[in-house]
Amino acid sequence: MQRSFPARRSAPAAAGNLPLEPDAFVGRSAELARLAEALETVRLVTVTGMGGVGKTRFAAHAAARAGACDGVWRVDLSAVHDPALLDHAVAEALGLTDHTAAPPRQVLLEHAAGRRLLLVLDGFEHLVDGSAALVGALLRRAPGVRVLAVGRRPLDIAGERVFPLAPLSDEDAVELFAQRAAARVPGFALDETNGSDVRELCRRLDGIPLALELAAGRVASLSPAQLLARLEDRFRLLTGGLRDASPRHRTLRTAIGWSHELCTPAERLLWARLSVFAGRFDLEAAEYVCSGDGLHADDVLDVLGELLAQSVISREEGPAGVRYRMLDTVRAYGAHWLTATGDAERLRRRHRDWYMGLVTWCELDWFSSRQGEVALRVETELPNLRCALEYSLGEPDETHLGQYLAGSLWFYWVGCGRLAEGRHWLERSVELDGDRDQARLKALWVLGYVAVLQGDSVPALSALQECREEAERCENALAVAYAEHRTGCLALVTDDMARAEVLLRSALDRYHEIGELNSNVLMGQIELAMTLAFQGDMPGAVKLCEDVRGVCEDHGERWALAYALYVLAYQAQAEGDPAGARGLLERGLGIAHGFHDLLGSVLALELLALVTVVEGDPAEAAMLQGAASRMWPSVGLPLFGSAYYNAPHERCAALCRQELGDEVYEERLRAGELLGQDAAVARALGGAGVPPLGAVPSQRRLPPDMRKPAVSPTSKGGETTG
């Protein structure tokens, strides 16, 4: 399907995504000045240096000072292991929402082409080839983009200026140690009794920030003199066998190893086991994944607290609640020890089992008042979910679990603006032969659903036909219903209303016979209502959507409700009630935008434009049409290429041209096209903000069996594949 795409994509109008600095930045004034100068004169600067030297913190601090018209955006690649997900990770960091089948690289380049932004690409060294290709393409296609890369080696591409970062000066190292120690022990300060020991300790640690942080984490139990004495012993003990490493790398490894030796056996065990997490994790996940075989689940919190006090892990608070993270260098050390214990495979499987259980619960709870919490929880856990998918799809005996995971995340791929990444995992999963038909059938119909929404009808039909044929062969009535439902949805958006009505009615009958009731079933009713409305049966459409509205209110469901409100607004506008239509559309738009559902948002905007011109404000209606036209390329073919969906748009355009004249109408359209998605939605809602999705649910709200594994410790049997 051929499409034309504008240079700009829908994205938040924020000034970037740099996190707030958790504590004061220490020293490096000369380096900051030199980096600022470099960023002014070249478009690609790569900060290089050994692990633990403070590259990430330094680059983020410098980037915040440098700024950019369209924001400073940091991309953390440390938890991305599959090169195919590189573009998805960058798009995610930039806040891009794209529902189309367009390659993510194309989406990124078109988004960046007309912008002036600073991209901080952090932790790329394990993806250096893909990162170099992406950065090269950005520099060629987006003249307003600057890149600050951060890694242990250069990208080695044309135009790159390498900025090696050295450890801290003696003065800065002492200041950093003193500040961090004072944070651990209130009242700690350099004086005549400890000053010389602190300075010698910092010198022996070569001014490496991570080593200094680890040492400062011990001042609650050891004085600087005791720290120095223990470090002297461990230097002699731990530097052997590292002759091929640079002295400073030996120093860092020694410092980490020394901190490791000072840990209790339980702390060392938890350190190693926590290395299986990608990015951030919460307490409940750590208690399940890391407990057992020498570490009771009830003890994990206390041991975690000790690792936190020693700076082995750090604590963060955000919309997703309290989370913990481990620096890559510290994680790598723990992973080495985990491998040495021979327990790595079991821990990776437990990690996958936890997140499979989490996804199972989230899929069920999507059809509830906790829908917003579910969306936020899955968004937060995405790096770990990617690891779970990667593990399952990479193990021959675990393929069915990868298919189950990819399929069960349908609500996230479809409802929260992740169609492109969802399609990546779904296509990868169905290419593999699993030994469980049910899991593969689910992945097939979800793949078909995603492709339908992307406007990619041929792959959609292929996946849905395969799903139906296989489902009928193995007598899986539920999969037949889903395949039929999504084939009816495809007929709807391609204007085959008669076929759409037959298929959707049949699918709904099958759901009723089976006893299936969830957001998908409600969407089937809404899609059937749309076919009836397009064929002139407004009473039938309203009845279906009022039924959906009632079920949504009973269960607290909001995502499907937004689409039901759209159909009801369509009917209200058609019957001469623009005020009623506006109220319905504004509520639906707020819901859809809150979930990052771009399709639901742009459909509401299009109909709001018609309502606005009918109410007597053609200039504002043209602005809304312009904003919608900017969003459609990120969704797919505008209005699906459907004459039915396009009718309100054409009527709005005709009324606006009649009232404004062609020249003013086109001018207002262009003005609307300059609005980003957030600005357009805020304008349509009269400046009202979009309510937050909700807080992440705590462990006490999980079902009782969530603390049990989703599958047994073996790779066979016991799994949930519903």
Side-chain angles (χ1 to χ4, degrees):
M1 184 179 297
Q2 296 296 319
R3 303 187 184 94
S4 60
F5 295 88
R8 296 171 71 88
R9 287 268 170 172
S10 296
N17 67 343
L18 284 180
L20 296 175
E21 295 190 280
D23 41 40
F25 185 84
V26 176
R28 297 201 185 278
S29 56
E31 292 102 315
L32 286 168
R34 290 201 305 273
L35 181 55
E37 181 183 359
L39 287 170
E40 287 292 327
T41 56
V42 298
R43 295 177 56 213
L44 170 60
V45 180
T46 302
V47 177
T48 61
M50 60 177 289
V53 80
K55 300 184 296 296
T56 292
R57 183 75 184 274
F58 172 72
H61 189 73
R65 288 159 53 118
C69 294
D70 289 310
V72 180
W73 303 87
R74 177 176 177 266
V75 186
D76 182 4
L77 296 177
S78 61
V80 179
H81 303 291
D82 183 354
L85 293 177
L86 173 62
D87 294 347
H88 291 286
V90 178
E92 173 189 348
L94 289 172
L96 281 174
T97 304
D98 187 87
H99 284 348
T100 73
R105 176 70 52 87
Q106 177 183 338
V107 173
L108 284 172
L109 294 177
E110 289 169 355
H111 168 77
R115 287 177 164 81
R116 298 178 63 83
L117 58 85
L118 175 59
L119 184 66
V120 182
L121 205 63
D122 193 5
F124 65 82
E125 52 269 357
H126 60 300
L127 300 168
V128 65
D129 291 338
S131 298
L134 173 58
V135 171
L138 281 168
L139 296 179
R140 289 190 301 272
R141 296 274 300 277
V145 170
R146 292 175 293 157
V147 178
L148 178 57
V150 185
R152 300 189 186 188
R153 51 156 296 172
L155 286 167
D156 291 328
I157 62 177
E160 179 182 32
R161 178 176 296 183
V162 179
F163 192 102
L165 189 65
L168 293 171
S169 66
D170 292 346
E171 182 180 346
D172 287 346
V174 170
E175 183 182 354
L176 177 65
F177 180 89
Q179 285 198 14
R180 300 302 187 256
R184 302 291 180 189
V185 180
F188 177 90
L190 295 178
D191 55 32
E192 293 181 358
T193 62
N194 64 22
S196 60
D197 290 328
V198 169
R199 283 188 286 274
E200 179 61 14
L201 182 65
C202 293
R203 187 187 68 80
R204 293 303 307 270
L205 292 175
D206 278 337
I208 300 170
L210 175 57
L212 295 168
E213 297 264 7
L214 291 170
R218 291 288 178 179
V219 295
S221 54
L222 297 171
S223 70
Q226 290 173 314
L227 286 170
L228 184 60
R230 287 174 175 265
L231 184 60
E232 291 281 357
D233 292 339
R234 270 101 191 141
F235 262 120
R236 288 192 291 271
L237 177 65
L238 294 174
T239 53
L242 294 171
R243 298 183 187 277
D244 59 336
S246 70
R248 280 177 174 148
H249 276 88
R250 291 202 298 270
T251 299
L252 178 61
R253 185 171 177 82
T254 298
I256 297 175
W258 161 66
S259 186
H260 187 264
E261 283 215 339
L262 291 176
C263 288
T264 65
E267 291 164 6
R268 294 180 204 168
L269 187 60
L270 184 57
W271 181 343
R273 291 178 177 180
L274 289 173
S275 69
V276 300
F277 288 101
R280 294 157 181 80
F281 57 90
D282 62 15
L283 174 62
E284 291 75 25
E287 286 176 329
Y288 172 73
V289 175
C290 300
S291 62
D293 289 348
L295 183 62
H296 195 277
D298 293 340
D299 297 329
V300 169
L301 176 58
D302 291 337
V303 180
L304 195 69
E306 290 301 315
L307 293 179
L308 182 64
Q310 297 159 29
S311 298
V312 173
I313 62 172
S314 60
R315 180 182 183 275
E316 300 176 358
E317 255 185 272
V322 175
R323 315 281 294 170
Y324 302 91
R325 70 183 294 265
M326 187 180 285
L327 290 177
D328 292 342
T329 306
V330 176
R331 180 186 292 110
Y333 193 92
H336 170 78
W337 278 92
L338 184 63
T339 300
T341 65
D343 207 20
E345 181 67 17
R346 185 181 71 87
L347 263 292
R348 288 190 70 194
R349 189 158 58 248
R350 284 182 69 83
H351 175 274
R352 189 275 318 282
D353 292 351
W354 169 264
Y355 287 102
M356 190 167 134
L358 180 69
V359 168
T360 300
W361 165 73
C362 284
E363 184 186 19
L364 292 171
D365 243 24
W366 179 255
F367 186 56
S368 77
S369 60
R370 292 178 294 278
Q371 204 169 46
E373 300 170 12
V374 168
L376 186 57
R377 183 68 180 265
V378 175
E379 181 77 21
T380 304
E381 300 290 5
L382 189 56
N384 283 302
L385 291 171
R386 287 168 174 161
C387 277
L389 283 159
E390 194 71 51
Y391 174 75
S392 298
L393 295 176
E395 297 289 324
D397 292 338
E398 311 282 342
T399 296
H400 64 288
L401 299 180
Q403 293 169 338
Y404 169 80
L405 274 171
S408 295
L409 281 165
W410 68 265
F411 63 92
Y412 184 63
W413 311 137
V414 169
C416 302
R418 292 283 185 175
L419 291 180
E421 180 167 350
R423 187 160 176 181
H424 165 81
W425 291 113
L426 291 160
E427 287 182 335
R428 186 171 164 188
S429 71
V430 300
E431 287 172 356
L432 303 173
D433 292 328
D435 57 358
R436 312 293 168 91
D437 287 333
Q438 191 168 354
R440 188 168 187 279
L441 290 173
K442 187 170 191 176
L444 277 169
W445 73 253
V446 176
L447 173 59
Y449 186 13
V450 166
V452 167
L453 294 181
Q454 289 183 314
D456 215 357
S457 57
V458 174
L461 190 57
S462 175
L464 293 171
Q465 285 180 337
E466 182 180 354
C467 178
R468 177 155 191 165
E469 290 169 2
E470 289 299 309
E472 289 174 341
R473 180 187 61 78
C474 61
E475 299 181 341
N476 186 320
L478 187 60
V480 171
Y482 276 108
E484 189 169 56
H485 173 185
R486 290 305 157 199
T487 307
C489 180
L490 178 59
L492 167 63
V493 299
T494 53
D495 281 357
D496 190 349
M497 294 304 150
R499 177 170 167 76
E501 182 178 350
V502 169
L503 290 170
L504 290 169
R505 286 192 185 280
S506 176
L508 289 169
D509 287 343
R510 292 178 190 274
Y511 288 144
H512 181 72
E513 290 171 9
I514 297 166
E516 186 83 337
L517 179 61
N518 56 30
S519 300
N520 273 307
V521 176
L522 297 184
M523 287 298 291
Q525 289 184 248
I526 294 163
E527 289 151 3
L528 176 58
M530 204 73 242
T531 67
L532 297 181
F534 285 153
Q535 295 177 91
D537 183 4
M538 290 297 185
V542 169
K543 183 180 185 307
L544 281 167
C545 286
E546 288 294 358
D547 287 347
V548 168
R549 195 175 185 177
V551 174
C552 287
E553 288 172 356
D554 288 343
H555 290 267
E557 214 281 1
R558 288 189 288 159
W559 173 67
L561 174 62
Y563 286 90
L565 295 174
Y566 170 81
V567 181
L568 292 171
Y570 182 92
Q571 178 269 342
Q573 170 57 36
E575 298 195 355
D577 181 13
R582 175 173 292 279
L584 294 164
L585 288 168
E586 287 180 348
R587 186 182 177 198
L589 176 59
I591 294 170
H593 187 64
F595 282 115
H596 309 295
D597 183 350
L598 202 53
L599 175 60
S601 298
V602 74
L603 284 173
L605 274 179
E606 286 279 7
L607 201 49
L608 265 171
L610 176 58
V611 168
T612 301
V613 71
V614 169
E615 289 178 329
D617 193 347
E620 183 64 18
M623 284 280 287
L624 294 179
Q625 277 203 320
S629 71
R630 176 179 173 178
M631 292 168 62
W632 270 114
S634 296
V635 179
L637 196 61
L639 293 157
F640 310 111
S642 160
Y644 291 97
Y645 278 99
N646 196 47
H649 175 92
E650 291 298 324
R651 184 182 172 212
C652 178
L655 290 173
C656 287
R657 288 182 186 277
Q658 179 181 322
E659 294 293 325
L660 299 173
D662 291 345
E663 185 176 345
V664 176
Y665 172 66
E666 296 291 343
E667 179 184 315
R668 298 298 289 176
L669 275 181
R670 289 192 295 272
E673 289 170 359
L674 297 176
L675 294 174
Q677 184 183 340
D678 286 344
V681 171
R683 188 180 186 100
L685 297 179
V690 176
L693 287 177
V696 172
S698 63
Q699 180 69 24
R700 67 180 180 275
R701 300 175 66 176
L702 299 177
D705 62 352
M706 263 300 294
R707 296 180 62 87
K708 299 177 183 178
V711 297
S712 66
T714 66
S715 60
K716 301 286 188 182
E719 70 276 12
T720 303
T721 56

